[in-house]
Amino acid sequence: MTPRRLPEGFLLGCATAAHQVEGGIDNDWSRWVAAHPEAVNGGGDASIAIDQYHRYREDLEQLGSMHHNAHRFSVEWARIEPERGRFDRDALAHYEDVARTCRRNGMEPVVTLQHFTIPVWLAEAGGFAAPEAPVRFARYAAACAEALGDTATWWVTVNEPTVVAVLGHLEGQWPPGERSLRRTLAALRGLLRMHAAGAQALTTVASHHGRHAQVSIAHHERRLVPRDAASRVDRTLARLPDYLFNRWFLRSCVAGRILPPVGHGEAVPGLAGSLTYLGLNHYTSEAVSLDLRAPGMLFARHEAVPGLPVSSAGWAIDPLALRTALTVLSREVGLPILITENGVADDHDELRPAYLRDHLHAVVEAIESGVDVRGYLYWTAWDNFEWVEGYTKRFGLIAVDRQTLERLPKPSAALFAEICRTGELPDATPD
Ligand code: FCB
């Protein structure tokens, strides 16, 4: 039998985020962890992370030598605009070089403008809901587009807007630690305006230079299924977070809903045309059932779907859920999809080879059924600072010795490299 192949020109590589790998960043997250060290599982912070700010050349060379042809990284707003309105030329030059280094090593850069973190001055002014946030974000986006736009075509404005709003403003686990539905909705509306303003800035700068920019959010799609399909209660409980998490933000982008002006005398552009592709982050599926002891979770219990294998993070491993997400979203948004994250926490690199194989098969099956998927970026290249999970969850293809910071590729890195080199998929795990 001929092996299954990925399409010609398919983007294949890894995704990272500045705060999780760079070290040495002063932003809302570093301040939050300094004030709440107990919030981080196993202790630790991102003050060194994996020191990629200084080691990006060797690191990117390593990924290039593994035949990756794309790499997603984020630029850090707090470095680029450390004080309101003051742009740091050196920081911009640094990221310009990161993008160039991707290209030099054969990788298409995919650049995220905002991956969960914001500068301290914006956090102090009210964060995502601050009236100035969209306009500030647009100026920051324009500065990045000017500096990196001749190297980078693929952009992500905001990473997982719904996740950052809910964890920071509803569940209180992330900065700024709020538990308020009103503040959550305000943050979501602010993020939507930021995305719209940022997308317009990216597009305007690109067309000014006669270029085309690919622009999207990175949408986190949670597959939520009723634990008991026959239970009306479970079905209803699965539907509500499905709307809040998976549909509201995306539908607002796609519908081109015009948001009212936001103060500072500057109107924020409407959203129509703010996505040219869809960035999809996808990990797992969750079973939802009634739990009267969980009012903060809207009386729902979320757990791994029974019967499926689970990762070291306790998340169900469910490649079919990725295929379903691709099909549903392609129908919903009618745009090409780039998988901007998909990966598994795995302490001993035992689950990852099958996870990679089976998820890539799911992607090819979706493509064969007519979904336009442009690429797949595995989360992540190196074990890193996993937010409030600290260094306890290992998603990387490459381990990093926490004492010496030595990079130690795992067996799955070689498996992925071979897929990148040949475009061929090893056989999927039999059912
Ligand atoms: C995603 C985040 C990424 C990382 C992975 C495991 O939700 O975008 O930064 O934390 O989960």
Side-chain angles (χ1 to χ4, degrees):
M1 221 174 82
T2 43
R4 221 180 209 154
R5 291 191 64 83
L6 292 160
E8 273 313 304
F10 194 75
L11 298 177
L12 213 45
C14 284
T16 62
H19 190 80
Q20 295 179 266
V21 293
E22 284 185 356
I25 304 174
D26 181 24
N27 59 18
D28 63 328
W29 260 89
S30 58
R31 299 279 178 107
W32 161 265
V33 170
H36 304 88
E38 72 291 347
V40 176
N41 190 0
D45 58 28
S47 56
I48 303 283
I50 66 163
D51 191 30
Q52 192 163 82
Y53 199 73
H54 300 110
R55 300 175 191 227
Y56 68 95
R57 288 199 182 89
E58 304 90 276
D59 279 348
L60 293 173
E61 201 176 304
Q62 185 175 31
L63 299 188
S65 76
M66 293 175 172
H67 311 286
H68 297 198
N69 69 3
H71 182 64
R72 176 179 174 220
F73 64 94
S74 75
V75 293
E76 181 66 31
W77 191 355
R79 283 194 198 277
I80 292 176
E81 192 178 357
E83 290 158 37
R84 180 185 273 105
R86 182 173 74 76
F87 287 88
D88 185 318
R89 297 277 138 220
D90 291 345
L92 282 165
H94 169 89
Y95 288 117
E96 194 181 339
D97 195 47
V98 173
R100 292 232 166 98
T101 308
C102 286
R103 279 242 179 272
R104 259 202 312 279
N105 287 287
M107 295 181 286
E108 177 79 39
V110 178
V111 184
T112 310
L113 293 176
Q114 197 266 330
H115 196 119
F116 296 154
T117 58
I118 50 175
V120 173
W121 55 261
L122 183 61
E124 286 172 348
F128 306 124
E132 68 182 302
V135 171
R136 295 278 168 207
F137 188 64
R139 290 183 189 152
Y140 159 65
C144 294
E146 289 290 354
L148 281 75
D150 59 347
T151 317
T153 302
W154 292 85
W155 297 88
V156 171
T157 50
V158 174
N159 183 68
E160 300 188 349
T162 316
V163 171
V164 75
V166 167
L167 288 177
H169 300 273
L170 190 63
E171 294 183 9
Q173 297 177 31
W174 284 11
E178 293 174 342
R179 287 169 198 268
S180 149
L181 185 59
R182 193 180 56 80
R183 293 285 303 157
T184 307
L185 297 177
L188 277 170
R189 280 195 294 268
L191 283 157
L192 193 56
R193 291 189 175 106
M194 284 168 61
H195 159 69
Q200 202 197 40
L202 291 172
T203 313
T204 306
V205 172
S207 65
H208 179 74
H209 292 284
R211 298 188 291 246
H212 174 66
Q214 292 279 12
V215 180
S216 180
I217 56 170
H219 167 72
H220 183 115
E221 176 85 1
R222 292 172 73 178
R223 284 315 306 154
L224 299 156
V225 293
R227 191 176 196 288
D228 175 2
S231 152
R232 184 185 291 174
V233 176
D234 288 6
R235 288 202 306 269
T236 307
L237 284 168
R239 223 172 287 132
L240 184 61
D242 182 58
Y243 181 75
L244 180 67
F245 262 95
N246 296 332
R247 296 290 155 259
W248 181 80
F249 201 97
L250 198 54
R251 282 191 185 154
S252 301
C253 294
V254 173
R257 191 170 294 159
I258 307 288
L259 295 161
V262 288
H264 286 258
E266 289 176 70
V268 160
L271 287 157
S274 70
L275 305 180
T276 66
Y277 74 99
L278 180 67
L280 169 63
N281 291 1
H282 190 271
Y283 285 86
T284 183
S285 56
E286 297 162 50
V288 184
S289 56
L290 180 67
D291 184 352
L292 292 173
R293 289 157 309 172
M297 297 290 289
L298 308 171
F299 298 105
R301 177 180 156 85
H302 291 244
E303 61 191 318
V305 176
L308 291 175
V310 291
S311 74
S312 306
W315 299 357
I317 297 180
D318 188 359
L320 186 58
L322 174 59
R323 183 178 162 183
T324 308
L326 289 166
T327 309
V328 167
L329 288 167
S330 156
R331 220 177 289 138
E332 170 114 18
V333 302
L335 292 168
I337 298 177
L338 174 65
I339 299 166
T340 36
E341 289 182 31
N342 173 248
V344 64
D346 180 7
D347 289 348
H348 306 294
D349 204 40
E350 289 162 350
L351 306 164
R352 192 169 291 107
Y355 185 99
L356 272 169
R357 268 196 324 259
D358 295 348
H359 282 76
L360 283 167
H361 274 280
V363 173
V364 176
E365 280 160 18
I367 295 172
E368 286 168 357
S369 74
V371 181
D372 183 358
V373 188
R374 299 294 169 90
Y376 173 95
L377 302 172
Y378 176 78
W379 182 274
T380 182
W382 303 273
D383 289 341
N384 61 37
F385 180 75
E386 180 48 42
W387 311 109
V388 289
E389 296 300 339
Y391 295 94
T392 63
K393 297 288 178 285
R394 305 193 179 108
F395 283 86
L397 295 175
I398 302 170
V400 177
D401 183 305
R402 292 296 324 140
Q403 303 306 317
T404 63
L405 298 183
E406 190 187 347
R407 278 51 169 159
L408 304 160
K410 305 175 189 179
S412 52
L415 170 77
F416 191 57
E418 192 55 12
I419 296 173
C420 293
R421 189 180 71 78
T422 60
E424 287 177 4
L425 300 185
D427 288 346
T429 312
D431 288 333

